[in-house]
């Protein structure tokens, strides 16, 4: 029986998906430290974690049975991706399972701030009946400026237009403008046009300090600012100054340069207590719907990998989208050096392999070649593939195995399969 270890209370929808792929699932609530994890991974092929379990190079070197790691999260900083790739261990995450949750929070905040709902709410809780239209606006007809038109930015664009907003966006990459959204040629053009500016850039290091005094100064009088992407992108001192001076009429911030480590910890920020400023504790993507979607998405990715070999959206291996076929499949992760494919195909030719299909993808110094073979005339090809000094990991599914029970093997082990000659389609 193959085994999966799921830690940190990942969403239980993941369990039946892995069980259906032939895995016995050990489901645990908490995280494990390095030593505990190493001992728990003995005999485990699949590991599922969230953000608190560190999958270090040492863990990966000791976990000789491990085939893939699922990060049931967006981020993968907790996993040593390079070490995992070097051992042929695939890592998957959930890059867009919480996109809609972030978008809905942004929409709610844009309306709340434009309407000054925060101040009316605060006053009434304090017993003050502040019935006034002053400073309250509809979002209809106003211009939303989206910086970063990726998964979140582009979906926000669609919903904002449905509310009657005009959308202008700025992205460093070429992006298809959805609906009537208009692309700004420069960030400055967006800042000078938008009534609401919202940041949705990714966390690449070059985005540190992207938005500071110069950018705030460019924004329109009474504009509103939102940051739901990454804390280090914005100079919060500068944001506080522009709110206090009355230049900006409101802001919503969900991510901070320094965030408390755990729930219940205290939070310090110059933004606390400022008028018409909504502060949320990095919960943009935190909804029950998103957790469920992440559970299903990552479990499906793990299941696809061990059944078909598909690495689509893996964050550390070359990406190949693969479907089930009725023939044997030889999946070879290898060092990406010149001549590997020729060597591999010579081995197949020497063994009279009838190749039905072959796909290759590379990523940095890792290559992944997947070959579907329906017949061979001579045994022994897999031992030769395993023995190549470029081989990182070889996995084989022969046609007599049920596809949901793939064989994963340790890189160091010679393959125990009956070899590709056993793959004649029954
Ligand atoms: N608050 C939360 O809980 C939460 C949840 C999910 C995601 N996020 C964050 O939201 C951000 C966006 O997520 P996504 O899934 O849309 O990412 P994405 O990768 O799909 O999109 C990011 C976009 O930003 C663009 N970009 C990068 N740098 C830029 C720059 N300097 N100027 C203009 N455009 C730039 C990229 O070209 C890309 O189109 C990420 O930083 C992510 O970490 C936050």
């Amino acid at each position: 029986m193959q085994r999966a270890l799921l830690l940190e209370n990942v969403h239980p929808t993941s369990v039946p998906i892995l069980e259906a792929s032939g895995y016995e699932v050990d489901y645990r609530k908490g995280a494990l430290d390095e030593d505990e994890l190493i001992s728990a991974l003995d005999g485990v092929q699949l590991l599922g974690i969230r953000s608190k379990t560190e999958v270090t190079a040492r863990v990966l070197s000791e976990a000789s049975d491990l085939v893939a790691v699922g990060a049931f999260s967006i981020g993968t900083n907790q996993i040593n991706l390079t070490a995992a790739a070097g051992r042929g261990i695939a890592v998957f995450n959930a890059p867009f399972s919480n996109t809609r949750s972030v978008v809905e929070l942004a929409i709610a905040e844009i309306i709340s701030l434009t309407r000054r709902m925060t101040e009316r709410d605060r006053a009434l809780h304090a017993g003050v009946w502040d019935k006034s239209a002053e400073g309250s606006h509809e979002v209809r007809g106003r211009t939303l400026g989206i910086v970063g038109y990726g998964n979140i930015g582009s979906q926000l664009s669609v919903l904002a237009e449905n509310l009657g907003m005009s959308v202008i966006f700025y992205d460093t990459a070429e992006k298809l403008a959805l609906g009537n959204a208009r692309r700004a040629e420069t960030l400055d053009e967006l800042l000078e046009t938008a009534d609401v500016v919202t940041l949705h850039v990714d966390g690449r290091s070059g985005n540190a300090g992207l938005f500071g005094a110069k950018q705030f100064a460019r924004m329109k009088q009474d504009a509103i600012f939102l940051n739901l992407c990454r804390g280090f992108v914005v100079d919060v001192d500068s944001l506080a100054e522009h709110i206090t001076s009355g230049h900006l009429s409101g802001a919503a911030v969900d991510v901070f340069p320094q965030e408390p480590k755990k729930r219940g910890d205290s939070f310090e920020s110059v933004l606390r207590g400022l008028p018409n400023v909504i502060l949320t504790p990095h919960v943009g993507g935190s909804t029950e719907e998103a957790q469920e979607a992440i559970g299903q998405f990552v479990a499906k990715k793990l299941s696809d990998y061990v059944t078909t070999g598909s690495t689509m959206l893996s964050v550390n291996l070359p990406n190949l989208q693969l479907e089930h076929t009725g023939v044997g499949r030889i999946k070879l992760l290898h060092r990406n050096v010149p001549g590997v494919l020729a060597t591999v195909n010579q081995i197949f030719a020497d063994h009279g392999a009838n190749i039905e299909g072959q796909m290759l993808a590379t990523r940095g110094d890792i290559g992944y070649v997947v070959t579907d073979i329906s017949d061979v005339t001579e045994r022994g090809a897999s031992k030769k593939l395993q023995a190549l000094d470029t081989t990182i990991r070889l996995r084989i599914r022969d046609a007599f195995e049920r596809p949901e029970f793939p064989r994963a093997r340790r890189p160091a082990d010679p393959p125990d399969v009956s070899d590709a000659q056993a793959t004649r389609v029954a």
Side-chain angles (χ1 to χ4, degrees):
M1 192 70 168
Q2 308 277 322
R3 288 177 56 210
L5 173 65
L6 297 182
L7 302 176
E8 301 187 58
N9 217 6
V10 303
H11 200 278
T13 47
S14 51
V15 175
I17 295 170
L18 296 177
E19 284 175 345
S21 298
Y23 281 76
E24 183 183 274
V25 178
D26 180 357
Y27 184 89
R28 305 191 193 181
K29 287 212 153 109
L32 295 179
D33 69 24
E34 197 177 48
D35 288 329
E36 291 168 334
L37 185 58
I38 288 169
S39 94
L41 283 175
D42 187 27
V44 167
Q45 287 76 34
L46 299 180
L47 170 66
I49 58 166
R50 289 171 74 178
S51 56
K52 292 200 180 69
T53 305
E54 297 280 328
V55 182
T56 60
R58 185 174 152 239
V59 168
L60 292 161
S61 73
E62 301 274 334
S64 55
D65 296 299
L66 197 59
V67 172
V69 179
F72 287 71
S73 58
I74 313 301
T76 50
N77 297 345
Q78 69 279 38
I79 302 165
N80 187 326
L81 297 180
T82 313
R87 297 189 169 274
I89 296 169
V91 178
F92 296 93
N93 68 338
F96 34 65
S97 299
N98 63 6
T99 297
R100 178 68 182 217
S101 301
V102 180
V103 170
E104 289 193 11
L105 181 61
I107 289 283
E109 291 177 336
I110 291 165
I111 297 176
S112 302
L113 295 170
T114 307
R115 199 64 185 263
R116 299 191 88 82
M117 215 164 84
T118 57
E119 294 184 347
R120 305 286 177 268
D121 172 68
R122 219 173 278 179
L124 209 52
H125 275 286
V128 179
W129 188 256
D130 183 20
K131 182 172 163 54
S132 159
E134 198 185 329
S136 291
H137 300 277
E138 295 180 353
V139 296
R140 180 174 54 161
R142 296 174 89 78
T143 299
L144 174 64
I146 301 174
V147 183
Y149 204 65
N151 296 322
I152 293 172
S154 57
Q155 180 153 174
L156 177 60
S157 171
V158 173
L159 295 198
E161 281 199 340
N162 279 309
L163 289 170
M165 298 188 84
S166 301
V167 173
I168 182 169
F169 70 89
Y170 173 71
D171 198 298
T172 42
E174 282 300 326
K175 293 284 168 178
L176 171 70
L178 302 179
N180 295 318
R182 184 170 73 77
R183 182 191 183 93
E185 289 307 318
T186 62
L187 180 57
D188 282 351
E189 180 192 345
L190 179 145
L191 299 178
E192 287 159 9
T193 315
D195 300 301
V196 180
V197 172
T198 183
L199 303 189
H200 301 287
V201 299
D202 55 60
R204 69 185 74 175
S205 56
N207 282 337
L210 172 73
F211 219 92
K214 196 164 152 273
Q215 290 69 31
F216 284 119
R218 285 267 180 190
M219 287 176 64
K220 286 166 69 173
Q221 177 63 38
D222 291 329
I224 283 166
F225 174 82
L226 279 80
N227 182 19
L228 291 91
C229 65
R230 292 295 185 98
F232 64 78
V233 172
V234 174
D235 174 358
V236 286
D237 290 324
S238 187
L239 171 60
E241 282 165 24
H242 283 264
I243 293 281
T244 311
S245 72
H247 170 212
L248 300 184
S249 68
V253 184
D254 185 49
V255 287
F256 303 88
Q258 280 88 39
E259 295 184 359
K261 285 222 163 9
K262 57 179 198 311
R263 193 175 183 183
D265 284 355
S266 68
F267 169 70
E268 293 304 327
S269 172
V270 288
L271 300 172
R272 277 181 51 187
L274 295 182
N276 208 24
V277 170
I278 298 174
L279 302 180
T280 45
H282 204 148
V283 291
S286 304
T287 60
E288 294 189 8
E289 287 80 359
Q291 290 308 315
E292 184 175 346
I294 290 169
Q296 287 175 357
F297 186 91
V298 177
K300 183 80 176 30
K301 285 283 151 206
L302 293 172
S303 159
D304 282 351
Y305 180 60
V306 292
T307 53
T308 67
S310 180
T311 46
M312 208 55 208
L313 295 182
S314 163
V315 292
N316 68 332
L317 293 186
N319 279 196
L320 279 184
Q321 177 74 60
L322 301 164
E323 306 296 332
H324 280 297
T325 60
V327 299
R329 179 164 283 174
I330 301 193
K331 297 164 273 188
L332 180 68
L333 281 161
H334 57 84
R335 288 196 294 113
N336 181 24
V337 292
V340 176
L341 193 57
T343 309
V344 166
N345 282 337
Q346 188 58 54
I347 292 172
F348 287 141
D350 292 345
H351 289 260
N354 184 25
I355 295 179
E356 299 271 333
Q358 189 169 57
M359 287 175 83
L360 168 73
T362 60
R363 181 179 197 150
D365 50 10
I366 307 277
Y368 187 37
V369 60
V370 175
T371 312
D372 285 348
I373 290 179
S374 59
D375 200 4
V376 292
T377 54
E378 200 186 319
R379 304 176 66 131
S382 64
K383 283 196 178 60
K384 289 186 187 163
L385 293 172
Q386 183 69 63
L388 294 175
D389 62 1
T390 49
T391 293
I392 295 172
R393 184 173 288 238
L394 176 69
R395 298 192 306 132
I396 297 179
R397 191 196 75 220
D398 71 48
F400 295 133
E401 281 182 297
R402 291 200 298 140
E404 60 267 39
F405 289 94
R407 294 178 187 180
R409 57 187 52 76
R410 303 169 189 209
D413 291 345
D416 58 356
V417 289
S418 51
D419 206 355
Q421 60 83 36
T423 63
R424 182 186 291 279
V425 185

